[in-house]
Amino acid sequence: MDDTKTEIRRQFNATEGVCEKFGFQPGSVLRYGAGALKGKKTEVVGVLDGKLWSVDEGSSVATFFNGSNKEEIVSIYGVETLENLAKKAEAEDQARLEDTREVQAMLVHTKRIETLDSSPHVCAKFGFKSGDCLTYTKGALTGKQTTIIGVFEGKLWSRDDGESGVSFLCGSNHAEIQGNYGLVPPRDAPILASMPSEKIAIKIACVKRVEAMRQNLRVHYGMSAAQAVKMVPDVAL
């Protein structure tokens, strides 16, 4: 501590017994977790006039915390000691490490066996979890089921029914993937079983034709996926 802070500390009661009611000891370095000072550090210097005081980083002036005890101070400022924050971060990293799950699968387009990350926190970035069984309601695969497997090279991969390998789902997040495929649990998918088989065949053929036309617009005319959908809307049967 520099001379300025030493002088500041002398103005306050820095005995442990006095500071104990506030839950923080003199010299404790805290980080604000809420309010205008969120993310900034502050060092507890002691008690004066029934309040806990600290010096914010970059400042030579002490300010007091509103609140008569630790619960009130934490509620207002979200402060926590750097030591506790470090322990929490370490615990979270350990939990992620322990929860890391890997699965090997063959990629359909390369026929190579790769290791996919099927950890819950990794798949959650796409809004799904490994093992989810879903049904396509958009695109050429409408009506077909697929099972989420894991993440590889920043993409979410799934295994379509009847396939021995996995394919990636186009989209960098849940919204984009849903926009492309409309994945839903089987119980929420359109009930195709109640439709005559010839109508199902017509519907699938129409969907494939629509998808081919959209692909043509994207490849040969440089349209975005959204523009292609607008030009060639879904066919209702």
Side-chain angles (χ1 to χ4, degrees):
M1 180 177 291
D2 60 30
D3 293 339
T4 301
K5 288 187 177 180
T6 301
E7 185 62 32
I8 289 173
R9 174 167 285 184
R10 288 173 182 163
Q11 302 173 31
F12 300 92
N13 188 333
T15 58
E16 291 188 5
V18 173
C19 295
E20 187 176 356
K21 65 171 290 191
F22 295 98
F24 299 109
Q25 296 302 323
S28 296
V29 179
L30 315 178
R31 188 182 296 279
Y32 292 101
L37 295 172
K38 184 176 180 180
K40 199 169 185 178
K41 291 185 290 186
T42 189
E43 183 179 346
V44 175
V45 292
V47 175
L48 179 67
D49 294 333
K51 295 185 181 297
L52 185 69
W53 294 66
S54 70
V55 178
D56 297 337
E57 62 178 334
S59 174
S60 59
V61 178
T63 56
F64 64 84
F65 288 104
N66 287 310
S68 59
N69 53 52
K70 182 177 182 179
E71 289 71 23
E72 291 180 3
I73 292 173
V74 171
S75 175
I76 297 170
Y77 302 95
V79 289
E80 194 160 0
T81 65
L82 296 187
E83 182 181 3
N84 282 348
L85 289 172
K87 288 180 180 178
K88 281 187 177 180
E90 184 179 353
E92 289 172 359
D93 289 342
Q94 184 63 31
R96 287 194 187 94
L97 186 62
E98 293 174 355
D99 203 24
T100 297
R101 305 172 191 174
E102 296 181 341
V103 59
Q104 290 192 323
M106 181 185 74
L107 309 188
V108 169
H109 70 297
T110 64
K111 306 302 181 187
R112 293 176 56 182
I113 303 295
E114 301 288 358
T115 300
L116 281 64
D117 191 338
S118 60
S119 307
H121 67 278
V122 173
C123 295
K125 296 175 183 177
F126 295 91
F128 300 99
K129 63 180 182 294
S130 181
D132 280 348
C133 181
L134 305 164
T135 299
Y136 294 101
T137 63
K138 291 183 179 180
L141 296 172
T142 294
K144 196 168 187 177
Q145 289 191 358
T146 192
T147 302
I148 302 298
I149 303 300
V151 175
F152 175 67
E153 293 186 341
K155 293 182 173 64
L156 184 67
W157 298 69
S158 68
R159 179 179 286 112
D160 296 336
D161 278 4
E163 292 283 356
S164 57
V166 297
S167 303
F168 67 84
L169 297 167
C170 292
S172 59
N173 54 50
H174 186 264
E176 290 180 4
I177 289 175
Q178 288 298 72
N180 291 329
Y181 305 100
L183 297 171
V184 298
R187 64 179 179 275
D188 296 330
I191 305 175
L192 298 180
S194 62
M195 297 171 59
S197 58
E198 62 271 17
K199 190 169 183 179
I200 294 176
I202 293 172
K203 180 176 178 65
I204 293 175
C206 287
V207 169
K208 288 184 177 180
R209 177 61 178 163
V210 166
E211 186 59 30
M213 293 170 68
R214 290 173 179 171
Q215 178 69 9
N216 183 61
L217 291 173
R218 291 194 295 268
V219 173
H220 297 291
Y221 295 91
M223 289 189 180
S224 67
Q227 290 172 326
V229 170
K230 188 174 182 179
M231 288 291 293
V232 185
D234 291 327
V235 176
L237 292 179

